[in-house]
Amino acid sequence: MSEPQTLYDVIGGETRVREMVDRFYDLMELEPEFAGIRALHPPSMDGSRDKLFMFLSGWMGGPDLFVEQYGHPRLRARHLPFAIGGSERDQWLRAMAWAMEDIGIDEALRLRLMESFYQTADWMRNQPG
């Protein structure tokens, strides 16, 4: 009897998670529609890229890199210093959906991930709207 595959395995492991995160941040840099969330990041997004990659690795059932380096994610607490409303949530979700489509993530898997991403992104809102 084999062990069930994790999302990390299904998506393609480290290489694919990194590819998805890199495309997400590339879109944030390139596309004017993501200016709102881009403005919430430092001039160099290298650290942000690494942190999201490490977080998603563990969240998807792969190596728990973020926890190993930074401890519990405490996502909401870590994002409280930033004004996050519906517009920022929607920009984040749109950029992630676009990134997953661009790198060829299967549609059924994209939908599954977007449901979870929406729940988390909506929970991160700390501004009305």
Side-chain angles (χ1 to χ4, degrees):
M1 182 180 258
S2 64
E3 292 186 31
Q5 281 194 309
T6 64
L7 277 173
Y8 185 81
D9 295 328
V10 171
I11 204 168
E14 177 182 352
T15 300
R16 294 291 279 172
V17 174
R18 175 57 81 178
E19 185 180 9
M20 180 177 74
V21 168
D22 284 343
R23 183 63 182 147
F24 170 80
Y25 280 104
D26 290 348
L27 288 166
M28 199 185 301
E29 292 269 19
L30 297 169
E31 298 298 329
E33 73 182 275
F34 305 128
I37 58 172
R38 175 61 184 98
L40 299 175
H41 291 80
S44 170
M45 292 194 297
D46 292 345
S48 300
R49 284 175 190 259
D50 289 343
K51 286 177 182 174
L52 182 58
F53 165 74
M54 290 187 289
F55 171 77
L56 288 178
S57 173
W59 180 80
M60 290 181 173
D64 215 355
L65 305 172
F66 189 93
V67 171
E68 290 170 7
Q69 186 159 348
Y70 299 104
H72 189 281
R74 301 177 338 204
L75 287 180
R76 184 144 168 88
R78 290 181 196 270
H79 287 80
L80 278 175
F82 308 101
I84 301 172
S87 175
E88 291 77 17
R89 173 202 60 205
D90 294 348
Q91 287 177 50
W92 194 99
L93 292 167
R94 171 70 179 123
M96 186 55 76
W98 190 344
M100 288 192 295
E101 185 174 357
D102 278 0
I103 69 162
I105 302 294
D106 173 75
E107 183 179 7
L109 181 55
R110 287 193 325 254
L111 292 172
R112 179 177 169 192
L113 287 167
M114 286 306 293
E115 286 178 18
S116 293
F117 288 152
Y118 176 84
Q119 291 173 4
T120 302
D122 193 54
W123 181 63
M124 303 304 275
R125 287 185 306 120
N126 55 29
Q127 302 293 308

